[in-house]
């Protein structure tokens, strides 16, 4: 029997602690994990060009049932959204160690809506995109 609610902590828009650092121009969601503001993590976000593709993705997300998942494609990569229960979703991020970040439905849907072609990031979030670029340059120099 699957429990109807999840007691696991998850990111919510009304959290007491600020966890969302920002969303950069490439639609990466920058969050603080476990309240560590010194090392924000960039989660891949949804990127679409036509509005119809955004609508289709949002419909697929809203129709997810517990134990279902959906692949969300980006230009060169993808990520997976898992429906844990009716108000608990996990964004699976692959890396050295795979990690699932838990969100409530309203929060994750709001993040996905930033994929709208007319959306513009906040002026202060442009620096987050620069940080992502610097990280990728450092990785290519090390390799």
């Amino acid at each position: 029997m699957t429990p109807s609610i999840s007691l696991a902590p998850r990111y919510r828009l009304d959290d007491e602690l600020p966890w969302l650092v920002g969303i950069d121009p490439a639609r990466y969601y920058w969050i603080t994990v476990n309240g560590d503001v010194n090392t924000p993590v960039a989660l891949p976000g949804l990127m679409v060009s036509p509005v119809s593709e955004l609508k289709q993705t949002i419909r697929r997300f809203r129709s997810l049932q517990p134990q279902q998942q959906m692949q969300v494609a980006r230009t060169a990569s993808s990520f997976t959204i898992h429906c844990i229960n009716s108000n608990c979703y996990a964004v699976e991020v692959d890396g050295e160690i795979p990690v699932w970040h838990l969100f409530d439905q309203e929060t994750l849907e709001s993040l996905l809506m930033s994929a709208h072609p007319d959306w513009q990031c906040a002026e202060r979030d442009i620096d987050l995109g620069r940080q992502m670029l610097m990280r990728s340059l450092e990785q290519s120099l090390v390799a």
Side-chain angles (χ1 to χ4, degrees):
M1 180 172 154
T2 305
S4 60
I5 61 168
S6 172
L7 299 178
R10 59 188 149 244
Y11 300 107
R12 296 183 336 257
L13 291 176
D14 60 351
D15 272 343
E16 293 174 16
L17 299 174
W19 55 269
L20 181 63
V21 176
I23 303 171
D24 71 19
R27 308 310 201 274
Y28 279 85
Y29 313 138
W30 290 74
I31 63 172
T32 59
V33 178
N34 298 328
D36 184 4
V37 296
N38 296 320
T39 54
V41 174
L43 304 179
L46 177 62
M47 277 188 83
V48 295
S49 48
V51 175
S52 61
E53 194 175 332
L54 173 63
K55 289 179 182 178
Q56 179 183 11
T57 303
I58 295 297
R59 282 189 202 111
R60 282 182 36 224
F61 171 70
R62 288 178 179 168
S63 69
L64 282 177
Q65 297 298 312
Q67 312 305 316
Q68 291 182 332
Q69 61 189 24
M70 68 182 266
Q71 284 291 116
V72 180
R74 286 184 55 90
T75 308
S77 63
S78 66
F79 63 97
T80 306
I81 296 176
H82 298 267
C83 179
I84 309 300
N85 69 29
S86 63
N87 196 28
C88 186
Y89 296 84
V91 173
E92 180 180 357
V93 179
D94 290 328
E96 292 177 22
I97 301 171
V99 177
W100 286 21
H101 297 277
L102 301 179
F103 295 88
D104 69 1
Q105 181 175 359
E106 179 184 19
T107 302
L108 188 51
E109 190 170 317
S110 295
L111 291 174
L112 293 172
M113 291 297 217
S114 69
H116 192 283
D118 293 338
W119 178 87
Q120 294 182 356
C121 73
E123 192 69 34
R124 70 183 192 294
D125 293 345
I126 292 173
D127 284 337
L128 296 173
R130 290 185 186 120
Q131 287 178 28
M132 179 67 74
L133 181 60
M134 292 305 294
R135 283 183 184 180
S136 66
L137 291 174
E138 288 172 2
Q139 287 177 351
S140 63
L141 291 175
V142 172

